Amino acid sequence: MQAATSSFVRRSHTLVILLLASLLLSGCGINNIPRLDEEAKAAWAQVENQYQRRADLIPNLVSTVKGFAAQEQETLTAVIEARSKATSMQVDASILDNPEKLQQFEAAQAKLSGALSRLMMVQERYPELKSNQNFLALQSQLEGTENRISVARRDFILAVGRYNTEIRTFPGKIWHSMMYSELKERETFKATAPKAEEAPQVTF
């Protein structure tokens, strides 16, 4: 009976120690790195989502412009080709571990932004296009999407910044070396043009 009681007490002490240890560890930031990693991935998913939203608008936009300005073939072709290149890249959260692919993706999206800007200028030469209701609706949607892209990129940059800071500072640096060494620093977007952090101004 005494042996059974002693064994029960030992097990109880072990359980209490394990519970206390888990509480202490959970309160000292051991879970911060995977949590921040997931936040960065979620922020990236929003960037992808907004770029896809823009890509989905482009076919209707090109068709509408073509109906009024078919002679602007070079500009229309540039948009179509830039969209094709941007959407042909297979991207998911794994791109965050590949700086080269991330830069290629960013370059493709920047090229599409440039082609779209040139397409938007076409409407100045065609008053009937400028007043077309379908075109005006697409204009509004594109402006909203460009703003969403800007916000999603900003949120991604901030999320990556929090993650990178955590794995490089105390106590996150210790947990990183002990438990999460497979998680590397993340690349983020880099401004490649003046005021690149601002949403493009789409003027109609």
Side-chain angles (χ1 to χ4, degrees):
M1 180 72 175
Q2 187 175 359
T5 302
S6 177
S7 176
F8 174 76
V9 169
R10 279 196 303 273
R11 282 200 302 271
S12 297
H13 283 140
T14 303
L15 183 59
V16 168
I17 290 169
L18 287 173
L19 284 171
L20 286 173
S22 64
L23 286 172
L24 286 171
L25 288 174
S26 65
C28 69
I30 194 171
N31 292 320
N32 284 355
I33 293 173
R35 178 178 58 78
L36 292 171
D37 182 48
E38 291 304 316
E39 286 179 11
K41 289 176 182 175
W44 171 253
Q46 274 305 307
V47 172
E48 285 187 84
N49 184 41
Q50 297 309 326
Y51 276 133
Q52 184 60 53
R53 187 175 191 273
R54 179 173 72 172
D56 292 343
L57 286 171
I58 290 172
N60 287 336
L61 182 65
V62 168
S63 294
T64 302
V65 173
K66 188 182 287 186
F68 291 88
Q71 60 268 42
E72 303 288 345
Q73 194 59 47
E74 184 178 342
T75 303
L76 293 166
T77 300
V79 171
I80 293 166
E81 288 177 353
R83 178 189 182 273
S84 177
K85 181 159 188 179
T87 56
S88 69
M89 294 186 70
Q90 297 298 314
V91 293
D92 53 31
S94 67
I95 199 174
L96 301 180
D97 298 319
N98 190 328
E100 186 178 327
K101 282 190 75 173
L102 183 61
Q103 288 174 4
Q104 289 171 356
F105 176 79
E106 187 177 0
Q109 293 297 339
K111 188 170 183 179
L112 179 53
S113 293
L116 271 175
S117 294
R118 291 191 296 277
L119 180 64
M120 294 302 99
M121 297 304 293
V122 164
Q123 53 86 32
E124 293 297 337
R125 296 193 288 274
Y126 303 92
E128 65 277 18
L129 171 62
K130 199 172 182 179
S131 62
N132 178 269
Q133 290 302 310
N134 191 33
F135 185 77
L136 291 174
L138 288 166
Q139 165 199 354
S140 177
Q141 291 179 59
L142 185 59
E143 286 175 337
T145 299
E146 293 294 353
N147 287 331
R148 289 186 183 96
I149 288 170
S150 180
V151 170
R153 283 169 58 103
R154 181 204 65 199
D155 290 348
F156 173 67
I157 290 167
L158 292 173
V160 169
R162 288 190 296 270
Y163 165 80
N164 285 343
T165 299
E166 180 67 22
I167 67 173
R168 295 179 63 199
T169 57
F170 182 84
K173 190 170 185 177
I174 294 172
W175 295 125
H176 182 253
S177 64
M178 289 173 58
M179 302 182 67
Y180 306 113
S181 58
E182 77 282 1
L183 297 176
K184 308 300 181 187
E185 278 190 57
R186 300 282 192 216
E187 282 290 316
T188 188
F189 290 112
K190 294 180 175 65
T192 55
K195 298 184 179 178
E197 73 281 359
E198 297 177 8
Q201 296 299 309
V202 183
T203 305
F204 293 85

